[in-house]
Amino acid sequence: MTIHRVIRKVQRFEGWFGGGAVLCLVAGLYLGLIGSPPDYYQGEVVRIMYIHVPLAHTSLLGYTVLAVGSLWYLWKRDPIVDNMCQAVAALSAVFTALALGTGMIWGKPTWDTWWTWDARLTSFTVLLLILIGYLMLRTFVDDPEKEARYGAILAIVGFVDLPIIHFSVEWWRTLHQPQSISMRGVSISSGLLVPLLFMSVGMSLLFSYMLMVRTQLLYLDRLLHAKKGRLLSQFHLSKFDS
């Protein structure tokens, strides 16, 4: 079964992804903003975590999908996979920017500064710049085939930033807190963990739903342009023959 067919089959459950996202996000927001206790150190400020952390995790997941899809496109040259890559790049850029923005809001009361050249913040900003560069490349290259190929190569090369983001808090001394869930165990209370899991699942489902919708729109747009091109060619040929 090709990835083209897999995408088609998953898109049949598009509505389930959207509905699941709404349910998880509503439950997560209620538990996070009302049901969960304040943190013993950060107090009420910790509630920003329920938005910031899921956004950050989802943006990394999105870039992983972009890198895998780019590899597949270079191998199979499947146009719908290219549409998916273009869609996921735009969505990942939005989620990454929102993650950085909410991180700055969280950092002000916690670190007493909006921005610092922390290793994780810097590497995450590099990820946003890679995504912006990818989108600019897809916009300004005229040849569709070259546009898709160059974009795929850039996405694959940029994937090296993801392990840097993940391990930055262990490789360097940073202000950013270490991973709360890792191979060493869970260092977060259940009262904070449950709403965080709801929000993370809900954000991932929302991202998936938006990706399906955006991929279909790009696919239909490509078909429309192809149809217009054929009609124009037929028009010019008929005019020449007459």
Side-chain angles (χ1 to χ4, degrees):
M1 181 179 291
T2 66
I3 194 170
H4 187 113
R5 293 178 181 175
V6 171
I7 293 173
R8 288 294 189 187
K9 285 183 177 294
V10 171
Q11 285 178 335
R12 295 177 184 177
F13 302 96
E14 178 182 300
W16 290 97
F17 279 84
V22 171
L23 292 175
C24 288
L25 290 174
V26 169
L29 286 172
Y30 174 79
L31 293 173
L33 300 178
I34 299 174
S36 67
D39 183 64
Y40 75 97
Y41 174 70
Q42 299 183 52
E44 300 292 345
V45 175
V46 76
R47 301 190 191 281
I48 303 175
M49 172 183 69
Y50 302 122
I51 302 295
H52 169 70
V53 173
L55 282 171
H57 287 170
T58 306
S59 62
L60 295 179
L61 174 64
Y63 196 94
T64 302
V65 173
L66 173 60
V68 173
S70 297
L71 280 170
W72 189 275
Y73 175 77
L74 290 178
W75 181 28
K76 294 292 187 178
R77 306 288 175 165
D78 192 332
I80 197 171
V81 175
D82 179 52
N83 293 145
M84 183 196 71
C85 289
Q86 194 171 358
V88 77
L91 291 172
S92 295
V94 173
F95 274 66
T96 303
L98 290 174
L100 283 170
T102 52
M104 291 169 65
I105 295 172
W106 193 6
K108 177 58 177 174
T110 307
W111 300 337
D112 195 30
T113 182
W114 292 102
W115 179 261
T116 181
W117 292 104
D118 176 88
R120 173 156 289 181
L121 291 180
T122 304
S123 55
F124 220 89
T125 303
V126 170
L127 180 66
L128 178 60
L129 294 176
I130 292 171
L131 288 166
I132 293 173
Y134 177 94
L135 295 173
M136 291 177 65
L137 188 152
R138 301 292 311 238
T139 301
F140 295 118
V141 176
D142 293 329
D143 188 329
E145 186 177 344
K146 288 182 178 180
E147 166 197 327
R149 187 169 69 253
Y150 294 165
I153 294 171
L154 175 60
I156 294 167
V157 172
F159 185 76
V160 72
D161 191 45
L162 264 67
I164 295 175
I165 293 172
H166 182 76
F167 292 108
S168 58
V169 293
E170 298 182 10
W171 290 347
W172 296 285
R173 180 179 299 177
T174 70
L175 291 174
H176 204 285
Q177 67 185 44
Q179 303 287 342
S180 298
I181 303 174
S182 64
M183 298 297 293
R184 294 186 294 270
V186 179
S187 59
I188 183 173
S189 66
S190 59
L192 302 178
L193 179 60
V194 172
L196 184 60
L197 289 176
F198 268 104
M199 289 297 295
S200 295
V201 172
M203 203 71 74
S204 298
L205 289 174
L206 176 63
F207 185 92
S208 301
Y209 172 76
M210 295 171 70
L211 176 59
M212 292 179 208
V213 173
R214 181 61 179 162
T215 300
Q216 291 180 67
L217 290 175
L218 289 172
Y219 182 68
L220 292 174
D221 183 67
R222 174 174 286 186
L223 288 178
L224 181 61
H225 278 81
K227 188 174 183 180
K228 284 183 177 178
R230 287 195 297 269
L231 289 174
L232 286 172
S233 297
Q234 291 174 3
F235 173 77
H236 287 303
L237 286 173
S238 61
K239 188 177 180 181
F240 179 78
D241 292 337
S242 62

